[in-house]
Amino acid sequence: MKLILTLLTLSIAASSVFAREPRRSDTVRLASPLDIPFYLAGNFAELRRNHFHSGIDFKTQGRTGFSVRSAAEGYVSRVSVSPWGFGRAVYVTHPALGLTTVYGHLQAFSPTIDNRVRDEQYSRETFSIDLNFAPDEIPVNRGEIIGISGNAGSSGGPHLHMDVRDTATENPLDPLEYYRDRISDNIAPQVRQLALFPAEGGVVENSTSAPKLLSPETFSTPIHAWGRVYPGIKAYDRMTGTSNIYGIKYLTLTVDGDTIYNRVIDRFSFDTTKAINTLVHYPETVTSGSWIMTTRIPASNPLPDIVKAYNNGIIDINEERPYNLEWIMRDEHGNVERQSMTIIGKRTIIPAEIASGQLAYWDTDNSFDAEDYSVTIPENALYDNAFIDIDATTSTDGISRSITVGNQSIPLDRNFELSIKLLSDTISDKNKYCLIRTNGKRRSAIASSYADGWLYASPDAFGTFTVTTDTTPPKITPINQKSWRKGTVKFRITDDLSGIKTFRGKIDGNFALFELDGKTSTLSFSMDRTRFKSGKTHTVEITVTDDCGNTTIHSGKFIW
């Protein structure tokens, strides 16, 4: 039976999605940011934990040191330096195009940019910095070198990350639209897994909770279901000349020939990037790291510009017959893959679900208070109404009870508020209290504050929370001291619990701009002949403080 009328409008709109109206990228040609052949390590809006990938990653042949060039005429509007994220990044605004391009994970800036940044770093005596510039301060020409490719920040290997953003909204756009003619791709997306999930009021293969998963060799196997269900698919795009896998840009699902779901990710807002968790079966993602994309749209509908669906992506299996589904996937170069799956309606008595916990609503504030804890889940923190289990048990430290709030399979769009009463408030330095969240074997410190015998925090995910103390200072370990004679001084700085908050280095009693690589915990400084004399003995002092105020100071001497 065909879905009619209401579905017809969606079907017509969705069927034309591959023939979109002309975009700026159809007339704008950006210059190459690199002087080497284009191969991608990652594409736009790939599914990442808690965020969309905001650009594309250009491969740099497994090494650093390539010139990075501005994609068009404009001016450097922002420069940021951090141990994490983009590491070193340059933002170039192009007023004539209405675009801003971003170049991340750089090894170094061009001399003009580097001089401005380094002066500010020394003036403020800090490595991490975020600077904004006026249009007339650092103009750049199309193709002008603005930096050197690297592996800085939260990078998994040498590459150039590039964003293309709408300057007015700051929304990331798909850069591949501007470079599609310079990247070869004749390989269609590939399907790894099919799935069918029971929704509330539905059953799949006699289960109201467990999905049915199909591997490639069983894709043709029909799935028996009844009531409300929603399909899922695990698929990746591929490109010519590489073994990498990429995210799916265009995704459509039809049922008996009618489109019921359509997704196009060619731009997004940073304000809604965490809603990526609603595009997948989130419990499977957090437990196994598997990204199964599903059609189900939550009540909050956080991505209306990206996803369109009939009946919120739910299929009502209410006839004892085959339902013929087809997934359609397309990449930016027009390569298309189609994958069919069959649901057979099998009349089944659907048992009533028994929920545990307290009902929390997505569209209002929710407060749950007890004698020794308080939990507030604010409006729009949840994507759907959810039953939240809150449990308090005795902790091993005895400082507070361990409070379990919800579970990690429930995604959050924003932080919730948690306060825990201390049962034993005996230490004089309240900064030494540390809140720990446990998810399975993973333990992480959560920023918190103390007031009147309570600890207050705003966690970004559910889990089990316990108050402990952190009185152990960070560790500072010199690295390969014999090589310091060559002019590079290195340390490894680590902390076992609350995490490193600040670090500061001095050479011969003066501030020295030590750089921190967050992924390796390596602190390094290259001796600068304009600031220090060579051929003599120098003193070095490193001070590191963690989030609980514990401080370690390391002092030493070296010859350079």
Side-chain angles (χ1 to χ4, degrees), residues 14-271:
S15 65
S16 63
V17 71
F18 295 162
R20 302 170 68 89
E21 292 300 314
R23 297 160 291 198
R24 283 179 299 180
S25 54
D26 294 321
T27 57
V28 173
R29 183 178 175 87
L30 296 178
S32 301
L34 295 167
D35 298 329
I36 56 177
F38 281 3
Y39 292 99
L40 298 189
N43 69 340
F44 179 74
E46 280 183 337
L47 305 179
R48 303 283 177 94
R49 189 67 178 269
N50 290 326
H51 71 283
F52 290 107
H53 188 225
S54 63
I56 54 178
D57 292 337
F58 290 104
K59 290 188 174 185
T60 55
Q61 302 176 358
R63 54 196 176 100
T64 62
F66 290 99
S67 296
V68 175
R69 300 179 182 275
S70 176
E73 181 181 359
Y75 66 94
V76 175
S77 53
R78 179 184 174 192
V79 177
S80 63
V81 181
S82 170
W84 310 103
F86 286 159
R88 291 181 185 83
V90 175
Y91 298 66
V92 180
T93 295
H94 313 284
L97 304 178
L99 300 175
T100 297
T101 51
V102 185
Y103 311 81
H105 307 305
L106 301 180
Q107 176 177 284
F109 300 123
S110 67
T112 299
I113 299 173
D114 187 67
N115 290 338
R116 296 292 299 273
V117 173
R118 190 168 292 270
D119 286 346
E120 287 294 331
Q121 287 175 311
Y122 269 99
S123 175
R124 305 181 190 187
E125 296 191 351
T126 179
F127 168 63
S128 297
I129 202 164
D130 197 336
L131 304 173
N132 294 288
F133 300 99
D136 59 346
E137 290 189 76
I138 311 178
V140 294
N141 295 316
R142 178 185 176 92
E144 181 176 337
I145 295 175
I146 55 175
I148 302 298
S149 69
N151 187 33
S154 302
S155 170
H159 71 279
L160 171 67
H161 174 98
M162 182 183 183
D163 282 3
V164 175
R165 301 183 185 180
D166 181 297
T167 302
T169 64
E170 298 186 0
N171 290 343
L173 313 175
D174 186 355
L176 192 55
E177 295 181 3
Y178 299 86
Y179 292 107
R180 71 169 75 89
D181 62 335
R182 279 166 279 182
I183 296 177
S184 176
D185 181 12
N186 57 17
I187 302 177
Q190 296 178 354
V191 183
R192 302 284 184 86
Q193 193 174 47
L194 298 176
L196 189 65
F197 299 89
E200 183 179 359
V203 60
V204 173
E205 297 288 358
N206 297 317
S207 175
T208 59
S209 58
K212 176 66 175 180
L213 305 177
L214 299 179
S215 56
E217 58 270 16
T218 60
F219 281 169
S220 60
T221 303
I223 303 175
H224 295 87
W226 192 252
R228 291 163 49 82
V229 299
Y230 57 98
I233 186 170
K234 183 177 181 180
Y236 299 103
D237 193 17
R238 303 297 297 268
M239 289 188 180
T240 303
T242 76
S243 60
N244 296 76
I245 56 175
Y246 310 93
I248 302 294
K249 182 171 184 177
Y250 300 96
L251 180 65
T252 298
L253 177 68
T254 67
V255 178
D256 295 332
D258 289 309
T259 298
I260 70 157
Y261 178 87
N262 195 73
R263 193 196 77 186
V264 181
I265 314 180
D266 55 5
R267 67 186 297 157
F268 67 87
S269 167
F270 284 115
D271 292 338

Side-chain angles (χ1 to χ4, degrees), residues 373 391-396 400-404 420 464-467:
Y373 68 81
D391 188 33
T393 59
T394 302
S395 67
T396 55
S400 74
R401 291 210 289 172
S402 292
I403 312 300
T404 299
I420 299 178
T464 298
F465 302 88
T466 306
V467 179

